[in-house]
Amino acid sequence: RRFPTVELRAETLNGPSHVPVPSDSAFLKALLFELRLVDDHVFVEHRDTCTRINHSSVHSVSSGAGELWPVLAFQKDGLIYACLPLVEGPLEPRPPLLTVPGLSQGLALLLGIMDYVSPSRKNEGEMSAKISQLRNLLVQACPLGTPLNTDIRSLSGSLEDIQEMPTDKDQPAWRSNTYKGKPQVNVCITEKVNCMQYDQRDVVDTWQVYGAVNCKCDIEGAAPNVTLTLNLPSNGAPLQDIVVHHCVTSVDPAMLMSSSAEPLDDSVYNGPYKFPFIPPSDSFNLCYYTSQVPVPPILGSYQLVEEGSQIKITVNLKLHESIKNSFEYCEAHITFFNRGPIAQLEHKVSYGQLDVSREKSLLVWVIGQKFPKSLEVSLTGTVSFGTAGKEHPTDYVCTGNTAYVKLRFRIPDFTLTGCYVDQHSVQIFVPGKPKITASRELISSDYYIWNSKAPAPMVYKPL
């Protein structure tokens, strides 16, 4: 969707550095080229040089009239989400990203669209119907090009059903409708853990925890006040880099000052973390945070050695004793890149079972819902391969013996930081006794254990 009002403002505000937006087809062609989705085998210096490394989703896209910047674009589940935010000022020299408010507004809008579209990605008919409704929804979410409501799921798909502005002057714009019924609040803390383990002396293993607190508040009234408190146990890892939803009315400044860029000290803020807010009508993420936990949940080592036409693999995993030994699922995926189908497999597992994928290029070690009493499991095996075909996975990084094991797991009713919601501390200033439901979970995200017998891409290596 294009907004002529925004393009006119850009022409006025950007002055001589303004680059007009090309036609839709020309813009799409240029964007696909920038994202390396076409002509990726061709080296283009301005795009592929090692001196230009993108650390964000903000791109500069070449058009016939010049460089379009900032183009916000990312891929998710086979779709590209992109927008061109307005920069309210000259483009030369380029302003720092943090000084462009349109970037955060555009990202919020794209994430809202992704949240609306992505649940239907496996149903082509449903996906087409949702995308056809997007144009009408953007009229409501982004009139005249300014995002007012980025929660696309909460909007009506019909233009006839667009609600008038609330007559109650106390009702905030993000409460699009009012609820009738018994008050209830559902809160879910989801923590995701990333990990890179190398099992090498000169390389430091890294891991990060990212948390999100999702809320759904069904409460009567135009502007109900809710206060939610996050707590940590005495040995819990402090929350850092906290970002709150715009509906939060006030927070302790010390809470927002805790940054993972600074080393932890005794003065770090470790809660309780109080969030007073006026909730939107639909579910929303109250806050996001990171944390520096002392150990990863599962420690592992992986050894892959090539011997003639066969390879020998050894995988050892150990669940840390502080982690709840109760999984919804726990699997180790061992993918073989740049090789043919698995022709022969001899293996021994101390626990669980080992399955070969239908494509014969992946071993799935199903550990199950519990580790044994020793909290340690091991796998050894010998694998030989047939002739490689086009259907077998390739990878530019995983060549030779450079390979990894990827762990997938989910632990319900557990967080790595120990963060939890005390149901009795949730305050709702409305008549009637509300029903409070609180849950939490720990999910693996990018959790890799690299082959210690081969070089691996390093996140950090000492000089």
Side-chain angles (χ1 to χ4, degrees), residues 66-138:
E67 293 283 323
L68 274 176
W69 182 90
V71 176
L72 187 59
F74 59 87
Q75 298 177 65
K76 181 72 174 178
D77 296 324
L79 295 175
I80 302 172
Y81 299 85
C83 69
L84 181 58
L86 174 68
V87 178
E88 298 183 359
L91 293 170
E92 297 295 342
R94 284 185 181 174
L97 295 182
L98 288 175
T99 64
V100 183
L103 281 172
S104 56
Q105 294 176 334
L107 181 60
L109 183 64
L110 292 181
L111 291 176
I113 293 172
M114 184 183 76
D115 190 44
Y116 167 74
V117 171
S118 60
S120 308
R121 63 184 183 276
K122 293 181 180 177
N123 185 323
E124 194 171 331
E126 190 179 331
M127 171 79 84
S128 299
K130 281 196 169 184
I131 290 178
S132 66
Q133 285 288 346
L134 263 181
R135 193 168 183 82
N136 288 345
L137 294 173
L138 282 173

Side-chain angles (χ1 to χ4, degrees), residues 17-310:
S17 57
H18 174 70
V19 177
V21 182
S23 67
D24 291 356
S25 58
F27 175 78
L28 175 60
K29 184 178 178 181
L31 179 62
L32 292 175
F33 182 78
E34 174 65 24
L35 296 177
R36 297 185 178 88
L37 296 176
V38 293
D39 296 335
D40 61 334
H41 61 284
V42 179
F43 177 80
V44 181
E45 186 168 355
H46 82 272
R47 182 190 70 178
D48 302 321
T49 176
C50 290
T51 59
R52 182 183 173 214
I53 300 175
N54 263 340
H55 294 290
S56 70
S57 298
V58 180
H59 303 271
S60 177
V61 174
S62 297
S63 73
E67 293 283 323
L68 274 176
W69 182 90
V71 176
L72 187 59
F74 59 87
Q75 298 177 65
K76 181 72 174 178
D77 296 324
L79 295 175
I80 302 172
Y81 299 85
C83 69
L84 181 58
L86 174 68
V87 178
E88 298 183 359
L91 293 170
E92 297 295 342
R94 284 185 181 174
L97 295 182
L98 288 175
T99 64
V100 183
L103 281 172
S104 56
Q105 294 176 334
L107 181 60
L109 183 64
L110 292 181
L111 291 176
I113 293 172
M114 184 183 76
D115 190 44
Y116 167 74
V117 171
S118 60
S120 308
R121 63 184 183 276
K122 293 181 180 177
N123 185 323
E124 194 171 331
E126 190 179 331
M127 171 79 84
S128 299
K130 281 196 169 184
I131 290 178
S132 66
Q133 285 288 346
L134 263 181
R135 193 168 183 82
N136 288 345
L137 294 173
L138 282 173
V139 172
Q140 306 169 55
C142 200
L144 301 179
T146 301
L148 298 182
N149 186 355
T150 56
D151 188 359
I152 306 296
R153 282 194 305 169
S154 68
L155 300 173
S156 164
S158 169
L159 289 176
E160 288 75 20
D161 293 338
I162 297 178
Q163 297 182 358
E164 295 181 3
M165 289 298 290
T167 53
D168 191 327
K169 60 181 177 57
D170 295 325
Q171 182 170 340
W174 58 82
R175 280 188 69 79
S176 56
N177 52 49
T178 53
Y179 171 79
K180 297 292 183 184
K182 185 179 179 181
Q184 53 186 1
V185 175
N186 291 301
V187 185
C188 179
I189 302 174
T190 298
E191 287 188 355
K192 294 186 177 182
V193 55
N194 292 358
C195 191
M196 291 280 178
Q197 295 182 39
Y198 302 99
D199 191 28
Q200 295 183 14
R201 283 188 175 183
D202 62 334
V203 186
V204 177
D205 295 345
T206 63
W207 57 90
Q208 303 89 28
V209 177
Y210 303 93
V213 181
N214 185 268
C215 299
K216 177 72 166 70
C217 302
D218 295 324
I219 306 170
E220 291 187 359
N225 287 294
V226 180
T227 298
L228 185 146
T229 304
L230 300 180
N231 296 283
L232 293 176
S234 57
N235 60 344
L239 309 186
Q240 297 177 290
D241 305 322
I242 298 174
V243 179
V244 299
H245 191 273
H246 59 72
C247 72
V248 176
T249 52
S250 65
V251 288
D252 189 327
M255 186 192 305
L256 303 180
M257 293 298 289
S258 179
S259 169
S260 58
E262 300 292 333
L264 290 172
D265 56 37
D266 294 337
S267 63
V268 71
Y269 191 87
N270 56 8
Y273 305 87
K274 285 196 171 186
F275 299 91
F277 60 95
I278 300 172
S281 307
D282 207 12
S283 65
F284 68 103
N285 285 328
L286 177 67
C287 70
Y288 300 91
Y289 61 84
T290 68
S291 185
Q292 300 179 50
V293 295
V295 290
I298 298 176
L299 290 165
S301 68
Y302 177 35
Q303 294 183 355
L304 180 150
V305 179
E306 205 155 355
E307 295 183 355
S309 61
Q310 296 181 327

